[in-house]
Structures are given as structure tokens and as C-alpha cells.
């Protein structure tokens, strides 16, 4: 009943084992070994085009360096008001990009609303030295609200960015969960819809530590290599990331894990729909479920060992929550079992 | 015969296995789990005092964030001219510290000479707004030249720093090798000799990826936690580092590995001493050996599969190298075998 | 009829003349000359306590370096949503502070609303490494909306900051106008109400270029001197700023100019109140007037040579502006004459 | 007898008067007024091509923003070991460029030696992510040693930079003095010899505060405008700089002042040549004179009111200074008179 976060789980056995399997023997350092190169090729294969891949240590690093690579003096990055990059990264994007400013854009359920983006972009057009200037759009897929942009929505927002002359970054900390939800290809969810660079996260989906920046324009790779190194994000034994991704991609493990987590999230959702002590705040689409519970039910579950976080309600939801109710977040992972969910269902009643 | 670098080796089997062992089950994220806490306590035990420990992704990160934590506007960091922090970190210390300047100090064989440090510090005393001001001393132990500061040398340089009112950082990317060489305790080599904060490296000594900053003043921990996060260096599943350190420290494995690498370095040194085609550039003390080889011998060994790097000779050595000779670096690790060394010995003749 | 900005005026004759008067003869550089020291003392006299004064080049510099001096990793600065620091400084505060984040707080007519500040501070309490942490409150006096915080309002907001353990910065680009409006002493409007450091602006009030940071805790002066120099804001011939401030403070010239500008603003306001083609958006309190004009009237005035800026209406006002109307900003200065205002009144009808 | 620095003088009367002359009347702000545009055109005329001109507050700002405009992650700037940018700017270039590293290059008498530059550039070629990469060459003209690069020397060093694919910056804090010394045109001393961007200083040559960055490629102007603003260096009443440059350039005043200062420096030099208590450290070429004086003579002059700085002898000179001697620096300016020099000559004997 540990629904605190997908980063509370350890590593999928296949991924942990891969680290033993590749432990022996030598490989040239800094990502130039045979396994590293094989994984690089695998990324290009998965994305159906030549991509440049850069491992980094954390999702925050992937986002921050992605944005650093498109930074310019006075630059403004448009992101959702509740996005990880603005809410949970302690100023890393600003520091590592040399001073980009993150501009919060509104929209229900974690998704940027096109009109809101249009207005936000409009504030910085034409370019005006005092106000700063548009530098990038950052989308989160799946969102922090456990929802998923449709392919059309991605294309629509990306078109707006393109019209403003700025690149599109996708924060894919839960990329696999979104992909599983949409049941499309990685290419369709990214560059085919106008995404220029991607934070590709494996950690939340069963890896120990496997995050990468994927550049759909490999021509920018050389510049990025310096950005990464001078941000202290270049692993020497990069093989330990490659070994994880090698197992991750083998036989579609990554999608299998993501589908599993999503299924567990749906099972949780069904629990909330069925409960008289709880209701869904909105429909989950990936592996995060937001629900409004009676405080007494939540306490009961916690006494029985359930772990999940209180959640700050978005603006538009706050009024809808009664005084004896509260909003909570529940996250599933490869480690979540049906038994977990069912025991939790029994606990809340 | 792969002597390119200690980061060409993978992971020691015990360390890789630990990642499998701890893969199952939940743990709270960001370094707050039971194993994380046990490893924290282990560090305090090893250093014989309460220390604050912060895992980071790379040695460059450990150095950069250590220095960032003692930064001040206009700050100058004194380091050896050949130190990793100034030669091999692509400006990460400057970026992550908000603009510290690294000031190279000379000294033979990778070690800062006391007189040179005194002169360097003197340039910035009294404090003068145009020139900047002293901010820290950074020592590398073992040095980039494969030598080791004696305890008295550390104490002497640290006293000088103390006299100038600045803290002492130790870059311990090869900490265990130095410790094994001096056969002293970790406390004796650090805070008992005036070191304030330490980059503690495990990666080069048999881990996959295990680097930490150790603060001997735990009162600075809270501030450091923000420095680390906003530099994108806070691992979510910190357990994967803890699992490595858990095995690393168990039954003295870390020192056993270091002693082994040092022994292999001595075996290599003996080879060079005995060869008519090679000579030691200076006596190795840890796991790096610098030797001057006849070019023909070096080529021969490389043809037989040996890998080792050309090395830029330090100023004072250049004149001593004949036209048919060249300086090379050889690094040993847990993966180096006696057979490797002996085969190499045969190759150079 | 040039109401574009108070920085369209040149310099008050007395201030320009002072630059001639002090041009001859030598003075030690970097603010250590006799005139510099006299001006320093004058600031302490004006503020009724020992203060440390640092000249800088621009209002943006004064704000940015003030905030830089209270920065911390992951730090958040609370400021009004329409404040200069967030709207008009192109990321300078972020760059020069090493990555502070500006957090917009709402409130009508340019003034931070206490409840909104409380909520904003509450988001970052208790300190949480992911979200960042409160670092400072920045108030603008007079505000960008031409209004003025009362002394009680300043004290109330400053108390809230104090309760959160953060210092209070005042952006006083139009400090004199606010002072004239409140008819209080500089001490009453600042440190006696909890302000810790001040951007003191002279440029908009009749100087050529005279901006200073005033620290009410002179113990922080040494640190600030390095912050200023490494931000490239230390004038060599500081005397040219001192010469301006010398004239500015002589016989109360600064307050006389401010009262004059405020009076002209009131005259403009009366014009709008009397016009059938215009109405005040809100009551002006300093030297900026915001008015809603019929577009035809505005065009007529512009054809006759009037210059004033279109203004983006604050959220709460937008609905109140008819389709044939528009919001404009009018700024007065020492150069504004009654004849100017009256001619403009005639033009709009 | 005040030879401390050329920034101890105030302003040339014509320049101070210009500030009175242009004080009245309105002008659009931020450098867009008629006078600003006239001065812009004047710069293009002086340099015989279209240039983009950006006023900034200080010489340190001009250098730092010039370098910021050519910065790249991991970038290295080659400059003379005694240059202002590395010795006297407190880390501003590093901060404002987001982390460039300044790499000191040797050469006698303040001038970079071609072989030393070649070796320095060679250290960073081919590009290597750990070491960083070449980003710019910065030359100081006149140098900090009071010497002047010949046109051929500039061209030679610039060619080397061009070969390495990096732009050439000139720190022209004493540009006019160098120009007067070489008796060539501004174009010949800059872009015709391969200089890409210039810190153009007026302050040391008789202005109150007049520094500009001159870009010989105006295509980079837009980017620079954001760099300047977000570094808090955009003056609102830019007219006060334009008014100074207007007078500065009128009827060749700037060259007249520079020639005068240089002549006074030669008169000082003659004094040292003639004295039995002093000797030139090397031949002065601009308005700074370095001389080795008997300590007793220096003390005597100081007792009679002379002011001049002790100077740290360059490496190669130290051995040449006797125990009863010391190296000093003497700077002349528009305010230096023949009587000053002659009185000083009498004082030292």
C-alpha cells in the first residue's frame, strides 16, 4: 500500500541483474564503449531517426540541461504552472541555463491550455529588451496531474511554439506511461508532433537511475556535450546507465512495466469510483491517481500502513472539496500489486 | 593490459550484487530510507565523528558543489596547476559556484609546494575588491600525479589556509588509494589535519557510480542540501548509491580493493625499473604510474593490445625526455591482474 | 506634452551644473574621495542612522545587487506581479543573484495584498528542498501603478517577512515621489517600518544617472563591495555620481522636484476627472497617472504631439474598459510644466 | 604630482560642459534619442564601417559583456597574465559570461608573446570536453604595462585566433592613448587587423563615465542588446553618455587629450632617464610609466605630495631590482601639467 511515489520502488529485477551481467570486463569511459554505442543505436531505432542521446543523473538534470541548450539572454520558458520544472527543481533550470526565467501557464488537469499559451507568448512579442523574450516551450508528458496530452494537443501547442520561433521540450519523466496510455510510437509522441528535445526518464519506470536527454537534431550534439560536462553530469562509467537501458528496452520491458503501472492506477481509480468515502478528482490516464477522500477514510488507511501524499489542490478544484475531505495523490509502479490495491480498497471502505 | 584509466573497469562483483540484493521492496526517496541512513552512520563511524554525507553523480559534481558551498563573490580557490578541478572539469566548478576563480599553484609531482601556496595567498591579502579574495584551498589526495601528500604536508598546507581564513577541501577521487598508501585512518588524513570538506570517491575504486561530499561540519548540511538540489544532483532512488557504499564498506572491501590496485601499480613500477626501454618518471604512491618509454616499446605494447594514455609532461620534466621517448600514464584498478602486468612487461621488453 | 516617462527628461540644471563644478582637480577613485565621503555621510544623515551606500549604474542594477546580497541557493523572492524587478529587468536579478526565482504576488493597484503574500510565503514553509525557500520580500515604493504604500502597509508586509525569516528590500526608483506623497521622513518609510535594504533612485527624479543601494545594516558593506565589483558596477570616477547627489540633496532639492512632479500628476488627474473623454483608472499618488481614454481623444492628443504609452490593463481592470476606450500611462517629471498639462487637457477635450 | 591613476582626474571641461548643454529638453530613453543616434553614427564614421555601439557603465562591464557575447559552455579566453580582465575585475567576466575561464598567457611588458599564445591555444586543440575549448582572444591596447602592440603584432595574434576559430576582443580602456602612440586610424588598429569587438574607453581619457562596446559585426547587435540589459547595464538616460562622447569626438578632442597624456608620460620618462635615483623599467609608449626608484627618492617625493602606486614586478624583472629599489607605476592624464612633472623631477633628484 505504498503509493507515495514511483521513486519509492527499487529496480526491476531484470534491470538490477543487468548491472551484474555487465560488471565484468573493461569498457572505454564516458559513454564511448560498445554497450553505450549499442544503446545509442537502440534509441535511434526506437525513435525512428538519428538522435543524439546524453545520459544525465536526474530528471531535474535532464530538464535543466535541455533548457540550457536552448537558452538565450533574457529567455523565457513557458511551462505549466504545476510542472515539475517550476515546482520541484529548486531553481536548477535557472542556475544551469545561466538565468532563463520559467513562466507559468495555466490549464486544467496539468495540461497547458492553448489560449493561455497564446496569451503568454503574446506578452513577449514583439521582442522587447526589458521584458525578455520567448526561448522555449516545455511540455510534461505524462503531466504532473497524471493526465496525458493527446497527439493533437501536442501538435497544436508545438505549432504555436514554432510560430513564435521557439523550440519544444518535452519532460518525459513518465514518458513510457504516457506512451502506454496513448498506445502510439515514441516518434509519434515526439518529433512527429513537433517536439525538439526530450527528457527521457527511466528511473520512475523501474530503473535504478536512468535518465537521458534525447536531441532530435543530432547536429546539436557537440554543443550539448560541453553543456553536460560543465554541469558535472558526465558519468565516467556510463556503462552502468547503458546496462540499465539495455535491459529496459529488451523485449519491450519498458512498455510492459508502464502498462502494468497504468493498469494498477486504473484499478485504484476503480476503487475510488466504487467507494462511498472517496471520489476521483479527475480521471487518471497514466500511473498517478488524484482522489478526494474523506479524512477519516484516509486516516484509517494510513493506520493500516498505506502511504500516500497530501496534495495541494489546483485553484479550480479547491472549492469543490468539503471540510471533511482532502485531496491526495497515489502513484503506482512496477512494484505495485493487485493485492496492494485491494487491501487499500478494503481499508478506505 | 588496459591501463587507460580506473574508470574503464566495471564494478566489483560484490558491489554489483548489492544492487540486486537491494532492488526489491520500497524505500522512501531522496536518501531518507533505512539503508541510506545506515550508510550515513557508517560514514560517521569511518570518520570517527558526526559528518554530513551528500551523494552526487560525479567526481566533478563532488568537487564543484564542495567549492560552491564555500563560495563568495570574487572568491579565489587555490589548487594545484595539474589538479582535476582546473584541468578536467570544463568549468563546472565556476558554473556551479556562481563564478569562483581557480588559481593554479605550482609544485612538483602533483603536490602544492608550501612556498608557492604562501605566495599565491599573499597575492590576495589584504582583501582588495579588484583582485578578488581567497575563498578556499583544494588539495587532491591521491594527486593527479599518482603521489600522496603525507599527513604533515596536509597539515602544513591546511594551517596556511587556516591562517588566511579559508577552508580546506580535499578532492578524494582516489581517497582509498591514498589511505592505503599512508596506512592511516580516514580521520587522520582529513579533519584531524585540517580538512573541512571532502569529495569522497568510490567510482574509481570499484563502484559503478558512488561519489559523495562529506562535510566535517554537519551544521552546514541544510545549506548544502539546497546547493545539491538546485545543481540537479539529488538522486531520487538514492538507495542505488547506498547499496554500493554498503558493499564497499563491508568487511573493509574498499581498502582491500585500493591495496590491490596500489600493489598492481607497484608491480608495474617494478617492471619499468627493470626495463631497458622504460623508466619511471617518478615513484608512484597510489594506483597511477607515470613512466617514460621508448616510443618503439610503447608502440610494441600497443600493438599487442595494451591501452594507456600519452601524457603531457609537467614543465620541469619536459627537458628530461629524449626525442625517442615519451611520457605515458598507466592506471590500475580492482580489475588489473598480475598476469596483465606481466604480459605488459614482456611486451615492452 | 511628453508624458512617456520620467527618464525622457534630461537633468535638472542644478545637477548638471554640479558636474561642471566638480570636474576639476583630482580625487581618489572608486568612491574614496572627499566628496564621495561627504555624500556617504549625507545619506546617513538623511536616514538618521549609519548606512552603507553603494552607487550603481542603473535601477535594475540596484535591485539586482540588493537581491544578490540576500540570495541563497533555491531562494525565492516575493514581489508584486507588476513590479519592475519581474516585468522590466530581463532576468538581471536572476543572473546577478546566481539564480534567485522571482515569485509574483497579486494585489490591486500595484500593491501586494497581505493575504496574497501570506499564501505565497506559506507555499514555501516549511522549507522543502524541491520547491526552494523564501529568500526576500521586495516592495516597490512608489509602485509601478503610481500608488504608494502607507507606512502601516509597509510595516504589515515587513512583519510578515520578518515572521518568515526573510529580509525586506524596497525598490525606491521613485523613492522621493513616495516620500513627498506620504510627507514622512526617509527613516519612517524604510528601516523604521522594517525595510532592510533599499534601491535609492535619483535618475527618474532629475539626475542624469544616480542610483544607489542603501544598506541599513552597514555590517554587510564589505560583502556588498565584492558583489558590486564582480557585477561590473563599480564606477572608477564615482565622483560623477557624488556630484549629482550633492546637488540633489542640497537645500532639499530632491523633495522639491518630487513634489513638483507629484503636483503635475495631480493636475493631470484633475484634467481626466474633468474630461468627458477620459477617466482615471485609479487615483494617482505619485508621479504616474493611469487613465482610460476614448481612443479618439488619445489619437487627437497624439496628433498634437502628446507622447504617452499604451498600458496593458491589470487583470481586474480589463473588463471595465469599453471597446472604444484604452488604458494609458502618463508620467510627469521636473520638466513637466503646467502649460504642458493644460495644453494636453485642451487636446483631449 | 598625482600620478596614481588616470581615473583620479575628473572630467575635461568640454565634456563636463556638454552635460549642461544637453540637460534641458526631452529625449526618448535607452539610447534611442537624436543625440544618441548621432553619436552612434559618429562611431561608424570614426571606424570607417557600420558598427554597433553599446554604452555600458564601466570598463569591467565593457570587457565582461564583450566576452559574454562570445561565450560558450566550457569556453576559455586567452589573455595576458597581467591583463585587467584577469587581474582587476573580481570575477565579473566569469559571472557575466556564465562561466568562461580566463587563461593567462605570458609575454614581456604586458604583451602576449605569439609562441606563448600558440602553446596556450594548442592545449585546447582538438576540442576535448574535459579541458574545455577555446572561446576568444582578448588583447589589451594600450597594455597594462603602458606598452602598445604594433599593428603587425595585432594582426599576427589575431591570425592565430582566427586559425583557432575564435574571435578577437580588444580591451581599449586606453584606446586613444594607443592610437595616439601608433598614429594610425581606429580602423587600422582594430578590424583591419582582425579585431572583432572592442571595449572602447573614454573615462580614463577625460570623460566622467563613457565606456562602450563596439561590435564590428552589427549583425550581432540584437543579441547584445539582451546581454546588456540582463546584466543591468542599460542606461535609461543614455543621453548623458552621448553628451560626453559628443564633446569627446568633437574636433578631435579625444586624440588631443591622449596625445597630451602621452607627452606628459614621455616627459616623466625623460625625468627618470636623467635621474641618478631612478631608471625606467621599460620604455613607456602610452600614458603609463613604470620606473624603478631608489626607495629614499620615492619616499622623498611622496613626502612632498606625490602620489603613485607600488607595483608588483613581473616575473622576469624581479631579479633586476636592488634591495634599496622598488618598482612604481606613474599614470598621466589630461590633468597632468608640465609643472607637475617638473616638480616631481626635482623631488626625486
Amino acid at each position: 500500500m505504498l503509493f507515495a511515489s514511483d521513486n519509492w520502488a527499487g529496480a526491476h529485477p531484470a534491470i538490477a541483474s543487468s548491472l551484474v551481467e555487465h560488471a565484468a570486463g573493461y569498457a572505454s569511459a564516458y559513454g564511448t564503449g560498445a554497450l553505450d554505442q549499442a544503446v545509442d543505436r537502440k534509441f535511434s531505432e526506437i525513435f525512428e531517426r538519428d538522435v543524439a542521446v546524453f545520459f544525465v543523473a536526474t530528471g531535474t538534470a535532464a530538464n535543466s540541461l535541455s533548457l540550457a541548450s536552448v537558452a538565450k539572454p533574457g529567455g523565457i520558458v513557458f511551462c505549466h504552472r504545476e510542472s515539475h520544472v517550476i515546482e520541484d527543481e529548486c531553481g536548477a533550470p535557472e542556475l544551469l541555463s545561466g538565468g532563463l526565467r520559467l513562466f507559468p501557464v495555466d490549464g486544467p488537469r496539468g495540461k497547458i491550455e492553448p489560449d493561455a499559451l497564446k496569451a503568454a507568448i503574446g506578452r513577449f512579442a514583439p521582442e522587447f529588451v526589458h521584458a525578455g523574450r520567448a526561448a522555449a516551450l516545455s511540455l510534461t508528458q505524462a503531466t504532473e496531474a497524471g493526465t496525458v496530452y493527446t497527439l493533437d494537443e501536442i501538435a497544436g501547442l508545438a505549432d504555436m511554439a514554432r510560430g513564435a520561433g521557439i523550440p519544444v521540450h518535452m519532460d518525459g519523466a513518465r514518458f513510457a506511461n504516457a506512451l502506454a496510455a496513448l498506445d502510439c510510437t515514441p516518434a509519434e509522441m515526439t518529433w512527429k508532433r513537433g517536439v525538439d528535445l526530450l527528457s527521457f526518464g527511466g528511473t520512475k519506470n523501474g530503473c535504478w537511475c536512468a535518465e537521458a536527454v534525447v536531441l532530435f537534431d543530432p547536429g546539436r550534439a557537440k554543443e550539448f556535450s560541453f553543456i553536460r560536462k560543465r554541469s558535472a553530469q558526465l558519468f565516467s562509467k556510463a556503462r552502468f546507465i547503458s546496462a540499465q537501458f539495455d535491459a529496459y528496452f529488451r523485449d519491450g520491458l519498458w512498455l510492459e512495466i508502464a502498462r502494468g503501472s497504468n493498469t494498477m492506477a486504473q484499478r485504484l481509480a476503480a476503487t475510488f469510483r466504487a467507494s462511498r468515502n472517496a471520489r476521483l478528482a479527475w480521471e487518471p490516464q497514466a500511473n498517478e491517481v488524484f482522489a478526494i477522500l474523506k479524512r477519516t477514510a484516509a486516516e484509517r488507511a494510513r493506520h493500516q500502513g498505506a502511504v500516500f501524499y497530501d496534495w495541494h489542490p489546483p485553484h479550480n478544484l479547491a472549492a469543490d472539496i468539503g471540510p471533511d475531505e482532502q485531496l491526495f495523490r497515489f502513484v503506482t509502479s512496477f512494484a505495485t500489486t493487485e493485492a496492494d490495491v485491494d487491501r487499500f480498497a478494503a481499508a478506505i471502505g
Side-chain angles (χ1 to χ4, degrees), chain A residues 73-97:
Chain A
I76 304 283
V77 174
F78 303 101
C79 59
H80 191 272
R81 179 177 298 285
E82 299 156 23
S83 64
H84 198 271
V85 81
I86 198 169
E87 285 280 291
D88 290 301
E89 303 191 350
C90 194
E94 289 94 329
L95 177 72
L96 296 175
S97 68

Side-chain angles (χ1 to χ4, degrees), chain A residues 82 107-109 282 313-320:
Chain A
E82 299 156 23
R109 301 181 183 182
W282 54 82
H315 208 61
N316 56 337
L317 189 73
D320 195 36

Side-chain angles (χ1 to χ4, degrees), chain A residues 99-112:
Chain A
L100 281 175
R101 182 179 292 172
L102 304 173
F103 191 92
V105 184
D106 285 309
R109 301 181 183 182
K111 292 157 77 171
I112 290 176

Side-chain angles (χ1 to χ4, degrees), chain A residues 294-317:
Chain A
K294 294 229 174 88
R295 290 175 195 275
T296 49
E299 273 164 40
R300 199 161 51 237
R302 281 173 169 169
H303 276 129
Q304 294 179 32
V307 178
F308 47 92
Y309 286 139
D310 300 354
W311 211 251
H312 191 75
H315 208 61
N316 56 337
L317 189 73

Side-chain angles (χ1 to χ4, degrees), chain A residues 8-341:
Chain A
W8 280 45
H12 188 279
I15 287 161
S17 294
S18 184
L19 286 165
V20 173
E21 187 186 330
H22 289 100
Y26 291 89
S28 60
Y30 302 114
T32 59
L35 182 64
D36 305 319
Q37 287 170 12
V39 167
D40 276 1
R41 282 192 302 272
K42 186 71 185 174
F43 268 97
S44 289
E45 190 185 304
I46 283 172
F47 282 100
E48 302 172 46
R49 71 182 285 168
D50 263 3
V51 300
V53 179
F54 292 86
F55 301 155
V56 295
T58 64
T60 294
N63 289 338
S64 298
L65 299 197
S66 291
L67 297 178
S69 77
V70 298
K72 43 192 179 187
I76 304 283
V77 174
F78 303 101
C79 59
H80 191 272
R81 179 177 298 285
E82 299 156 23
S83 64
H84 198 271
V85 81
I86 198 169
E87 285 280 291
D88 290 301
E89 303 191 350
C90 194
E94 289 94 329
L95 177 72
L96 296 175
S97 68
L100 281 175
R101 182 179 292 172
L102 304 173
F103 191 92
V105 184
D106 285 309
R109 301 181 183 182
K111 292 157 77 171
I112 290 176
E113 198 173 37
D115 281 354
L117 179 60
K118 191 176 169 188
I121 287 175
R123 285 175 61 106
F124 300 94
E127 289 194 358
F128 180 54
V129 78
H130 303 274
R133 53 184 167 165
L137 167 64
S138 180
L139 302 176
T140 312
Q141 178 79 326
T143 74
E144 293 294 309
T147 56
V148 172
Y149 286 101
T150 66
L151 297 187
D152 281 356
E153 286 171 340
I154 294 169
L157 295 169
D159 275 357
M160 242 179 240
R162 197 77 47 194
I166 57 173
V168 180
H169 165 251
M170 179 177 279
D171 174 359
R174 293 188 178 92
F175 187 82
N177 299 97
L179 208 60
L182 292 180
D183 197 20
C184 66
T185 70
E188 284 167 354
M189 201 168 84
T190 55
W191 62 271
K192 288 190 173 175
R193 292 303 180 282
V195 173
D196 296 286
L197 66 178
L198 168 68
S199 298
F200 184 93
T203 307
K204 289 180 193 292
N205 194 40
C207 293
W208 266 129
C209 166
E211 304 289 319
V213 173
V214 178
L215 306 180
F216 296 115
D217 174 3
R220 296 161 73 188
K222 187 189 148 193
E223 191 65 17
F224 201 94
S225 70
F226 283 92
I227 290 174
R228 178 176 60 173
K229 173 64 189 174
R230 68 104 182 226
S231 303
Q233 294 280 346
L234 174 59
F235 288 115
S236 54
K237 295 183 178 173
R239 196 184 351 164
F240 90 96
I241 305 284
S242 294
Q244 294 177 69
F245 276 131
D246 185 58
Y248 190 66
F249 291 136
R250 191 169 302 277
D251 302 327
L253 177 64
W254 65 308
L255 295 173
E256 185 189 309
I257 294 175
R259 278 190 297 261
S261 307
N262 288 6
T263 301
M264 287 303 104
Q266 287 303 331
R267 193 176 187 95
L268 258 181
T271 290
F272 294 128
R273 280 189 213 101
S275 169
R276 57 208 154 123
N277 294 322
R279 57 198 163 102
L280 284 171
W282 54 82
E283 287 298 321
Q285 297 176 282
N287 69 322
E288 295 187 293
V289 184
F290 294 80
I292 299 159
L293 274 71
K294 294 229 174 88
R295 290 175 195 275
T296 49
E299 273 164 40
R300 199 161 51 237
R302 281 173 169 169
H303 276 129
Q304 294 179 32
V307 178
F308 47 92
Y309 286 139
D310 300 354
W311 211 251
H312 191 75
H315 208 61
N316 56 337
L317 189 73
D320 195 36
I321 301 176
D324 60 339
E325 293 181 322
Q326 197 176 338
L327 179 67
F328 300 99
R329 187 188 74 164
F330 303 82
V331 192
T332 58
S333 74
F334 78 91
T336 309
T337 62
E338 294 191 358
D340 266 348
V341 176

